[in-house]
Amino acid sequence: MVISTTSSDMIRARLTGKRMSLANTLIAAALLLTLLSSIVILITLLADTLAKAIPVFESRGMSFVTSSLAPQAERAGILQGIMGSLALMGFVVVIAFPLGVAAAVYLEEYAPDTRMTRLVNANIRNLAGVPSIVYGILGLFLFVKVINGTFGFAEQISGRNLVAGGLTLAVLVLPIMIITTAEALRAVPQALREASMGVGATKWETIRHHVLPVAMPAILTGSVLTVARAFGETAPLLLAGAALSQYFATDQGAGFFDLIGNQSYTALPLVIYNFARQPDTEFVQLTAASIVVLLVMLLSVNALAIIARDRFERAS
Amino acid sequence: MTSDEKEIDTMTIDHAVREDIDLRELPDRPVLFDVTDLSVYYGDFQAVADVTLGIREHEITALIGPSGCGKSTVLRCFDRMNDLIEGARVEGTITYHGIDLYGADVDPVEVRRRIGMVFQKPNPFPKTIFENVAFGPRIAGWKGNYDDLVEETLTKAALWDEVKDKLSEPALALSGGQQQRLCIARAIATSPDVVLMDEPCSALDPIATLRIEQLMMDLKQDYTIIIVTHNMQQAARVSDRTAFFSVDVTDEGQRTGRLIEFDRTEMIFTNPTQKDTEDYITGRFG
Amino acid sequence: MTSDEKEIDTMTIDHAVREDIDLRELPDRPVLFDVTDLSVYYGDFQAVADVTLGIREHEITALIGPSGCGKSTVLRCFDRMNDLIEGARVEGTITYHGIDLYGADVDPVEVRRRIGMVFQKPNPFPKTIFENVAFGPRIAGWKGNYDDLVEETLTKAALWDEVKDKLSEPALALSGGQQQRLCIARAIATSPDVVLMDEPCSALDPIATLRIEQLMMDLKQDYTIIIVTHNMQQAARVSDRTAFFSVDVTDEGQRTGRLIEFDRTEMIFTNPTQKDTEDYITGRFG
Amino acid sequence: MTMAPIDLRGDVARRTRERRVRWLFTAAAGVSVLISALIILALVEEAWQFLAKIDFAQFFENGWFPRRGRFQLLALVVHSLIVTSVAMAVAIPFGLGSAIYLSEYASPRLRRLLKPTLEVLAGVPSVVLGFFALQFITPNVVRGFFPGASSANFLAAGIGVGILIIPLVAAVSEDAMRAVPRSIREASYGLGAKRWHTALRVVLPAALSGVMAALILGVSRAIGETMVVALAAGLNGTMSFNPLDGGLTMTGAMANLAVGSDQVAGDVAAFQSLFFVGLVLFVITLALNVASERVVRRFRQRY
Amino acid sequence: GGGGSGTTGSGAAETSGGSGSISISGSSTVEPISARVAQAFDAANGTATTVEGPGTGDGFAKFCAGETDISDASRSIKDSEAEDCTAAGVEYVELHIATDGITVMTNPSNEAVSCLTFGDLYALTGPESEGFGTWSAADGLAAEVGGTGGFPDADLYVVGPGEESGTYDTYVELVIEALAEERGAETASRADYEASTNDNVIVQGVEQNPTSLAWVGFAFYEENRDKVRAIAIDDGESGCVDPTNDTIASFEYPLSRPLFIYVNTSDLSGQTQDFVDYYLSDEGIAFVSEAGYVQLPAAELEETRAAWEAAKG
Amino acid sequence: MVDQRSHFHSELAALEQTLLDVADRCERMVGLAVEALTTGDTDLCEEVFVADKAIDATYLDTHNRWLSMMARQQPMGGDLRLMSALLHVNVTLERMGDQCVNIANLARLSAGLPARDRIIEQIREMADLVRPMIRTAAEALVRRDADEARLLPAMDEPIDRINRLMYREVVDCAPDTRMLEWATHMMMAARALERIGDQSVDIGEQVAFLVTGEFQEFSEKGFVARASAD
Amino acid sequence: MVDQRSHFHSELAALEQTLLDVADRCERMVGLAVEALTTGDTDLCEEVFVADKAIDATYLDTHNRWLSMMARQQPMGGDLRLMSALLHVNVTLERMGDQCVNIANLARLSAGLPARDRIIEQIREMADLVRPMIRTAAEALVRRDADEARLLPAMDEPIDRINRLMYREVVDCAPDTRMLEWATHMMMAARALERIGDQSVDIGEQVAFLVTGEFQEFSEKGFVARASAD
Ligand SMILES: Nc1ncnc2c1ncn2[C@@H]1O[C@H](COP(=O)(O)OP(=O)(O)OP(=O)(O)O)[C@@H](O)[C@H]1O
Ligand SMILES: Nc1ncnc2c1ncn2[C@@H]1O[C@H](COP(=O)(O)OP(=O)(O)OP(=O)(O)O)[C@@H](O)[C@H]1O
Ligand SMILES: [Mg+2]
Ligand SMILES: [Mg+2]
Ligand SMILES: O=P([O-])([O-])[O-]
């Protein structure tokens, strides 16, 4: 018998004398370093930007957030950018959210597993990977050229309006929204559906009473992250018509049709982009300050969504 | 109803010779499901072939057999749950109260309201205990006193005493065994006349398992129960009749489930007619 | 070796009066693990209290008991797998060949090389069959003929015939039962002297389960085996000695596992000394 | 039998409602197909006209100066590849390293702290990183090592893009690694493996398909990234292989065409080249996305 | 509606229009002027004016499509653009409102270069200069095209606005076009210069590179006088002229260019009329210098006002 | 402590109850058979035969129930010991019934033959001793009382003694061949009663095993062996 | 078809083998005991007592093994029937051993008493008839041969007949009281042999049950009942 012939001392010798593994420690340290540097980058970015922005906050407080665009650095504010961005997000939410959820529900819950469905699914995943600037082209083509051209509004309507931008961004986030939602739906255990169908619920009753409520927290946090991403998008709006402007007056009396019509709009990332190319060096600080505002808005929304998701995941 | 008079137990024909054996006879209850030449396909793959058997009212019928022999597949035919599976196709007939379950004008949703199902893993809705029980009747548009209904149902499911003070707590806070009893309560809340159970105890510990088995035996007063189980001992313990399935492997390696023997449970476990059954229950099978 | 001479089986003290009973005696093998007053905590929660038992060489020792009684917790103490769990803390002593397993200078990695582990769900690495078996020796820096090693190990695990022609196919292509045997092969490839198994059959169908049980009985020629199982029948079938654990619930609802009885398996299942054990095995426990 | 004859035909209103609901959802899913069709339509028509106008040989010579009728597509592709390579050189070690650390080394508490921070990094808009690349990375990092680098250069842009995709690579690979069941890790530890053995020889190979997919997605994202390169890589249309030079990438060229004074009414071919480059980009990223999907599907492990 | 249209009144003119909108698009160069004027005008009148600066060409495209009321331009309308306007029935008036100077500049430390002729510029930045890596490499070409040459043997680092900008167009038109046509070369700058959409990046490039050569709008130079040094330009007639307000206003500085606004007169609303009135008023025109450009001499301003009065009819 | 297998346990209790009933019937059968034997009332024999048929039927049914429960319920521990004991008890009771039939048959054979009062008295005495044994065995089972079961060997003692000494009475009958024939029948009947006593002890042994988990013969079983020890 | 429970099945086979060995020993014990009885060689009695001790030990051990296997292996179907049959066989063989002890005891009691050749012959004949029955029963078990088992009642017939008629021989001894005492001993021995025959039939019944799954008594068991049918 192997064991009884091995003396206890030999076994002790093998088991003990802990070998500190250098390789182990080194690898762990190196890996932690990579992770920390990613975070250091984020902090550097924030610090660098903040440093440049401080003069603005010192001299103007938050008033530049509440003022409108102006050609003069000392007067210029980003209110219109923020409002524009929020309005765009409104479009995104109103259009992409219901459409995305509905499409995902179809694909996850209804669609038979046919070639066609697989194709549609592949198509959506691919759309999610299409560079945003290509969506800009779509926006340019569709909302600026086709809608105007086709429907003959060219006379009254500049294509470069909020609707065009909003639709472009909505279309941009739609595939991501569908994927997020589909993932959330997939995470709902099949057992729950079977349970519901098993007591005689129809498909729609099952979805409405069980699947959607269970998936909703995940759908919502996913959507918030998606919308936040759209908030920071710049490139498609360059093509799809947000104003790169030093000044435009927002017409207080403008109605919905004015929005569709000639009302100009801009978005916060574009304001930043535009500030940065102004000759006045004070605009550089203003750019930094605007970036700080953008980051604070985005990162806090992101952080909230991420924390919410984390909570939700841990709860379930 | 003619199906009652019909001789359904084809597997017992060659038992006729030993009809004299004085086993405790089961009362001769009417046949509820009459399954004739049932075959189920998943796409091109024939999962189950030519199953013929009769499920009698107020009995517990167990389906046993090696993994992949099609127990779940057959079970899910009884409430048309297979409809939910892409590409699943059913041949042969299953009548229920004499009505062809797969008839053109039968609405599967309606079928499932009358035939409850309990699954392998306890799967309560992530709602309150109360709402779990009330859901089925609610969507069926039942008008009545829900408080009474829930109490009655939970009592039947041997759960009332344990949960009566926390009906509005989330069902997921219950233990596994309690959850499974809740699922049984949920299944019987719509007053089905059949409860199907697919390995209802395989996720439970032995104590919870015994409770569920007890419950099943209590429930057969009111319901007809069909249970799929991997656990021969369980089938032996709880069921009145047992259907033993096995797998035929063709030369091309296609594995098709077949009903080998269907008989009173004690016959299956003490003295099966088929060698395959004997080999399976004594562990000589591989 | 002193531990061999020591009386370890504290639970059998009050059996002394029936020492005359002519049960088939087990050979009196030396004690390999000597567990004394073992308590395990997860953070503040005491999962297991004051376990004292002795595991003998070349026996199969089964740990049984209701869910949550700490079977897995105790098992994982034997190869210090609990070290991997945040906040797990062990009190009392476990000696292995007389060496304190939790001694300051004991390297858990080395411990695990000598004490193999097989888990509930078959968990082969997503590599080839060959590489699964070769992994342990490889990382231990073993130099030798790997072909021979793999053949020998797989043969011991009763898998060689089934896989010899597909050693370089992915292990995940095997059936569940084959995967579990592969996991056993992997565990014994490093020539441990102990194999720990935590509910190794709970994910398998009855046929695969029986094969694994057979294998365990074959393996005890070469290894000492400790198995945790939910399945009393399984413990009854395969083990030489059985430790029955139960849960004490304090007034504050804290649930702590305790060793109730440790004895030869047939004693536990035919004639346990403790009422709790009797109640558990006869299903009178709740 | 005492039961009344039973009716299994079900409720007509209920079935009608089901049909309607289903139809609604189907229509919604149809929109995604419509979008793809429109994207292709938008790109193809003008791109086709562009192709009809120019000489094929132009793609390989003379730089990319669309307003001068010079369309060296090759330069854009080469520049895109340089930026992407730099980006991946940043993202692979940092992204993968972070992923391995998070999934294999970090304690749950640390992980709960670090992972969201990493994800927050993913929320930084590209326009911000563009300025960061231009105004911080170039002067402080690139010029620090290579004082002769152009004020707009591929290196800085690549680093910026790399930073942008670190969270993506990290998140997707970490997901893949965490999808490797705990039981497989335990198996490894159970055999006496050390942590790095387990991480690098068991978990990483097991998650390889997911990790590969993450990297391909990263490449796709890097190629498609616009604002960072538009801001930090400059406008030079002359082909250069030197990462310290600046120049137009495919996306940079498109952005530049988009913001120019002659965006709409300029040289017709120049305007149409925008669509053409868009199409090329679309096809490349499509291919990459399909590839990533294939990789995942082909090598997905069923544990 | 008509309102007071004082061309010289103090304070922004009041119009009766109340809310309404004027849309201005076009040159990004002119945008800072129009933006300031619009800002003041809106503030006084409660109107909503939009000023965008996508570029001169883009501005004309919209203008001639009737989408805008006023188009800013850093060059005169091209024939093709004029045809579009005509085709769409858009009539307009061109108003010269300010002057800009394209400033050629280098790093303050690059003392070897202080004045360049058009020939020198052609040799350093023209189409034929492609590939010149040092200043002195352009010596030969400079000699050919009548430049002074004699450049230092230092790295040549050319930075400038991208081809999409009006500033680039103007530079090519003023400095390169004539010589290029004469020599049968392409009417464009060398391709291998470092281009940027962001003029601040150009300034930054010059600042960071001791032997750089760049051109930007005068306003950018003015903002960055401490970081860069302007190079005097010699068009061959006037001798070396430094860019200053005066030399630019008088077009003495060879790289001076007029800045215009084009006003749609076929669809002239009262508001637009009032806006232009205000633009050309003393108060309005003062924004030119605030925006960093050079005001017109009085005489020329009067010419512009006259042209406007005439157009109003 | 909730019984998680109440159905099984009630089934088990029912099985036990059946056997207790059988024991009761056996006891009464002993009375009937001995009555028939000692009074020559052969009508009573018929009753015994009928009762035995019933016991045989119950025996078979119980055996099948036992098998079925074994297969279906896989008892362990005390339940298993009870099952095993019940199987023994079932056989033993059936054999008791058979012994009663033997006595009844002997009664028929003996009818009309000259009898001898002393022997009849002894037979009666044996019957009076044996019937309480059956009752005691059944009670011990019901009460799970090993001590009560352990009384049985002592109760069996006098029966054995009477049985052992009876051959002397038989020999005394020798001169009258018909009476001798009758006497040998009586000896066989005594032997049957003695067996029933032994069988009661067997049941007692099963009870002791059931309760203690240890199986021990209460005493040497060979009736002659005990005789030699006497 | 691979046996997935070979350990259990070899354990089961071993159990069966033990009982077959016991049957073998019983058969030899019958020979020894009858030899002792008919030759008066009381030394042989000792051998019988020793053999019975061994059988008793085996009986207890087998019972415990049986219980342990029942608890541990939960046999079903044929295995369960075999287990149940083996439990019966175990008891039956132990009782056979006891009967041999009885005979041996009778041999000791009878030593020195006057004997009668006819009775001795009859006893020998019975022994010669009974020993093949034990062998047949064991063989039927080994071969799972119900037909062979069904031969046993017929083999039992002549034994019963001899037993039944023996009382006449006993009566013939009446005049000589010592011989009569001897004869009654012989009658008891004959009764013991007859019981061994019956027990062999019992084993045969268990074999038939094992093979067919149906339990049927081969015939009425009461020895006197059969007598009346005669
Ligand atoms: N949705 C499905 N699509 C295709 N094949 C399926 C599907 N479900 C089951 N099968 C196949 O049909 C056969 C029968 O499956 P089924 O689940 O009914 O077996 P089972 O007897 O319930 O097995 P188990 O005991 O493992 O649950 C198997 O070969 C299985 O692989
Ligand atoms: N990682 C952990 N952290 C905290 N508590 C734990 C952990 N693992 C187990 N426990 C607790 O310790 C107790 C014993 O758990 P353990 O898994 O050992 O039980 P078990 O007997 O194996 O149960 P089961 O049969 O359900 O596997 C339980 O109360 C369990 O909730
Ligand atoms: Mg199944
Ligand atoms: Mg466990
Ligand atoms: O915007 P531009 O003045 O350069 O046309």
Side-chain angles (χ1 to χ4, degrees), chain D residues 89-156:
Chain D
V90 171
I92 290 177
F94 287 89
L96 266 187
S98 304
I100 296 175
Y101 188 84
L102 279 178
S103 116
E104 301 305 310
Y105 283 83
S107 69
R109 267 178 52 221
L110 191 60
R111 187 175 172 278
R112 274 206 294 281
L113 192 76
L114 292 180
K115 175 125 199 242
T117 321
L118 198 61
E119 283 179 296
V120 166
L121 186 61
V124 176
S126 55
V127 68
V128 172
L129 262 171
F131 281 111
F132 184 66
L134 188 66
Q135 294 182 338
F136 186 86
I137 298 177
T138 296
N140 300 333
V141 181
V142 176
R143 285 258 168 80
F145 291 99
F146 309 102
S150 303
S151 57
N153 58 71
F154 297 128
L155 192 56

Side-chain angles (χ1 to χ4, degrees), chain C residues 67-68 70-73 120 198-199 228 230:
Chain C
S67 193
K71 305 178 292 293
S72 303
T73 301
Q120 186 162 1
D198 194 348
E199 306 194 25
V228 161
H230 245 137

